Amino acid sequence: MSQSLAPAPRRPAIVAALCAAALTVIGLTGAAPSAQPAVPAAALPYQDPALPVADRVGDLLSRMSLDDKLGQMTQIEKDSLVPQSDLAAYRIGSVLSGGDSTVSPNNAQTWADTYDSLQRTALGTSLGIPLIYGIDAVHGHNAVRGATIFPHNIGLGATRDPALVQRIGRAVAEEMAGTGIDWDFAPCLCVARDDRWGRTYESFGEKPELPTSMATFVTGLQGATLGADPASVLATAKHYIGDGGTTGGVDQGNTQLTEGQLRALHLPPFQEAVRRGVGSVMLSYSSWNGVRSHAHKYLVTDVLKGELGFTGFVVSDWAAVDQLDGQSGFTGAEITKAVNAGVDMVMVPYDYKKFLTLLRGEVSAGRISQARVDDANRRILTKKFQLGLFERPLTDRSYTSGVGSAAHRAIAREAVRKSQVLLKNDGGILPLPKGAKLFVAGKSADDIGNQSGGWTVGWQGRSGPVTEGTTILQGIRAAVTDPSQVTYDRYGNGIGDGYTAAVAVIGETPYAEGRGDRPNGMGLDQEDLSTLARLKAGGVPVVVVLVSGRPLDIATRLPDWQALLAAWLPGTEGNGVSDVLFGDHVPTGKLPMTWMRGVSQQPINDGDGQTPLFPYGHGLTYGATPDPDPDPDPDPDPEPVPGACTAQFRTVASWSGGYQAEVTVKNTGTGPLTGWNVSWDLGGSTVSSLWNGSPTVSAGRATVHNAAHNGALPPGATTSFGFTANGPTGTPATHCAGS
């Protein structure tokens, strides 16, 4: 989203008017007990949890008025509700907290109380349809002070560890559940192709296979089945589609690509999210060849909902529908264009009365059909039923005390150390000896806000002690044998030649979209340059820890540094950085972005013919020769081993000169597969891109081996890979072999 959690039992209640008794749930945080509505014997079919969800949805739809249905399609900012009773009066279906929306005091308990108060208001209508509450928990439950803040996505991409990302998703879901909030506007599955873009850090990487592999975050949030897990929250794949490919890296700009290029670069992560059952998709502010995503019926209805088979609901971005005509203020024409393109829920977020009046007028005039309204409601209500909101609408307070828990911070620290990318290590200066005398400097050495970045207790983030955690300086002092041997001065003043090394923790200060765009240079700021000059004059080796949301223009400075560690935006657990600096863990991170020699190379990406400072996948370690061409698949070309599997080829879409295909692999044996490969004759076509697998081509025949995340298949299980190709379409015979 722009500027804008679920338990076992996660939450009890149906309609207050239908309650026959009262249940009480004791808040485990010491708060007063929360009186919860009772769950009566099912008076109506939609209230019967034993019935299939589709039957419940159908029954509820048959009882809803037009106003009920239009309200479900409306999402509003929490702070716009004046009075709160408007939530019920206007049948509002969803509330969100924007990037700067908060509660006072800002803690998990207050968030839970706020959620429950709003939910009780929603339940007070005749049908008692619960609201669904959305928030941008993009690197932890980052609006809540004291929550665990994980590395931003660019750092997680450097880990090349989809299983870790799934565990992070689970931890985020548990912390959200502790505040009641049940819908996360994450993960961002953008493929960032220009580092000048201010949202680069929200991308897992520049090549589609990396964000695709990290779609495991969806499973972490939702669980294997939405609502079945004690802390299941709805995930959102965003921003559909091409927001990371705009010309010049301009936020909300225009992505100028052929359809084949768009599909090859930007569609695969969304295809994987849909395969994983993602509950919602948020559209992008950006345009594709001049047409805004929020008005693009072909991309939203035909491709996403039709071709990819997405059964969840599509939500707009913050006030994005109001941007369609380029002027401030909703119009009926904008609303009709977006809803008919496939938007199911509109993030208004403020003037809901005007929005609902206009929406009602467009439906009454027949410009938006009743069938389209019913389709949107069916999609939204299905997810509410699957989440269990009708049975368990209130916060499960057993999760509240877990917000910012030691267990979650341990996962975050693991993620930090696995995200560190060692780019230079002359003379093996790293790891630093724990008994060394060290001088630490730099504006980000002792600043939890800087190391957490944007979307941290505020939309744009800010420097300073914004939340609880461990700074990189604190991590260094905790790691050494004698903390008195560590001298710190932010600006580098007072350094002499008696130190083993100087550690400079420098880089970017917090920003989010818009303000984070850097079209006029990507170098270090004047404070960093002055600090580095003082350290250089001190005559001791300089180790640079670069805290940033993207590669920076540092090539001309690099000769002055004996070591360079890319720390990205690590979040609240700065001790994960010191884990690597002192060798408690060797660096294993690999670059998720190609690192430019200078800003004039932007955009620079793997395979584009430019010579980078550091290539995509680069990353040194201690005591080993680095892999000159790392790959996220640890075994990209295994020897084929016969096994019991089949492969079914399907042409998904075609256009002039090219096509997209999907191949489904199924384990037809009685034992598990640990890997597979599929081969077929290309018939004159050439593969232009491929996801969820590792391809080789020889003598006109393609062979695809499994990726790291989809090689293991139990009996009867399936997975798939997809590709785009230039040339004639067809349905070739495929051969599958497993191991």
Side-chain angles (χ1 to χ4, degrees), residues 184 190 308 311 330 448 652:
D184 191 359
C190 52
L308 269 60
T311 59
F330 275 109
I448 204 81
V652 172

Side-chain angles (χ1 to χ4, degrees), residues 646-650 661-665 676 678 680 719-723 734:
T646 59
Q648 184 175 1
F649 185 101
R650 178 174 72 95
E662 180 181 75
V663 178
T664 300
V665 178
W676 48 263
V678 175
W680 71 96
T719 189
S720 64
F721 64 88
F723 66 91
T734 54

Side-chain angles (χ1 to χ4, degrees), residues 77-362:
E77 158 60 42
K78 165 182 68 70
D79 293 339
S80 72
L81 271 174
V82 181
Q84 183 170 313
S85 58
D86 272 3
L87 190 67
Y90 288 88
R91 304 297 198 265
I92 302 299
S94 181
V95 173
L96 82 149
S97 284
D100 288 321
S101 180
T102 189
V103 296
S104 183
N106 185 353
N107 57 45
Q109 178 68 44
T110 312
W111 279 97
D113 292 343
T114 302
Y115 174 92
D116 285 355
S117 176
L118 291 167
Q119 189 65 279
R120 287 192 178 95
T121 301
L123 295 170
T125 60
S126 58
L127 293 173
I129 302 174
L131 64 83
I132 186 169
Y133 197 122
I135 201 165
D136 289 270
V138 297
H139 65 138
H141 200 6
N142 42 257
V144 182
R145 186 178 178 100
T148 308
I149 305 299
F150 295 88
H152 269 296
N153 286 355
I154 191 171
L156 298 183
T159 71
R160 300 298 203 274
D161 193 338
L164 171 63
V165 168
Q166 183 166 325
R167 287 195 286 130
I168 290 171
R170 166 67 193 197
V172 173
E174 289 180 355
E175 297 206 6
M176 290 180 67
T179 63
I181 298 177
D182 34 52
W183 180 10
D184 191 359
F185 301 140
C188 185
L189 295 176
C190 52
V191 180
R193 303 288 292 176
D194 192 318
D195 299 337
R196 292 171 292 187
W197 185 38
R199 305 191 79 153
T200 295
Y201 66 74
E202 296 187 52
S203 173
F204 290 108
E206 71 181 34
K207 297 177 72 173
E209 54 264 34
L210 193 46
T212 298
S213 70
M214 298 303 179
T216 51
F217 193 84
V218 170
T219 305
L221 287 174
Q222 296 189 165
T225 302
L226 184 64
D229 188 275
S232 179
V233 302
L234 196 75
T236 307
K238 68 180 189 183
H239 302 87
Y240 185 82
I241 180 178
D243 55 339
T246 61
T247 301
V250 174
D251 190 52
Q252 305 185 22
N254 188 27
T255 299
Q256 296 171 288
L257 297 172
T258 66
E259 181 170 349
Q261 291 169 328
L262 185 76
R263 286 173 174 270
L265 286 172
H266 299 285
L267 190 62
F270 291 95
Q271 189 163 23
E272 176 64 11
V274 171
R275 188 188 74 80
R276 289 180 173 272
V278 69
S280 68
V281 168
M282 184 182 291
L283 301 183
S284 174
Y285 284 114
S286 61
S287 304
W288 176 42
N289 295 334
V291 180
R292 289 184 179 270
S293 296
H294 283 76
H296 213 302
K297 185 174 182 180
Y298 172 68
L299 289 178
V300 180
T301 296
D302 297 348
V303 176
L304 177 63
K305 293 182 176 180
E307 180 184 313
L308 269 60
F310 174 61
T311 59
F313 64 90
V314 172
V315 64
S316 78
D317 208 333
W318 178 279
V321 172
D322 185 18
Q323 292 186 8
L324 289 181
D325 64 3
Q327 298 180 5
S328 179
F330 275 109
T331 65
E334 288 176 312
I335 295 169
T336 292
K337 184 175 288 187
V339 172
N340 286 341
V343 175
D344 301 305
M345 182 184 289
V346 176
M347 191 184 295
V348 175
Y350 292 118
D351 196 354
Y352 52 90
K353 295 177 184 178
K354 180 179 181 181
F355 169 76
L356 282 165
T357 298
L358 291 171
L359 176 58
R360 192 178 223 291
E362 295 301 293

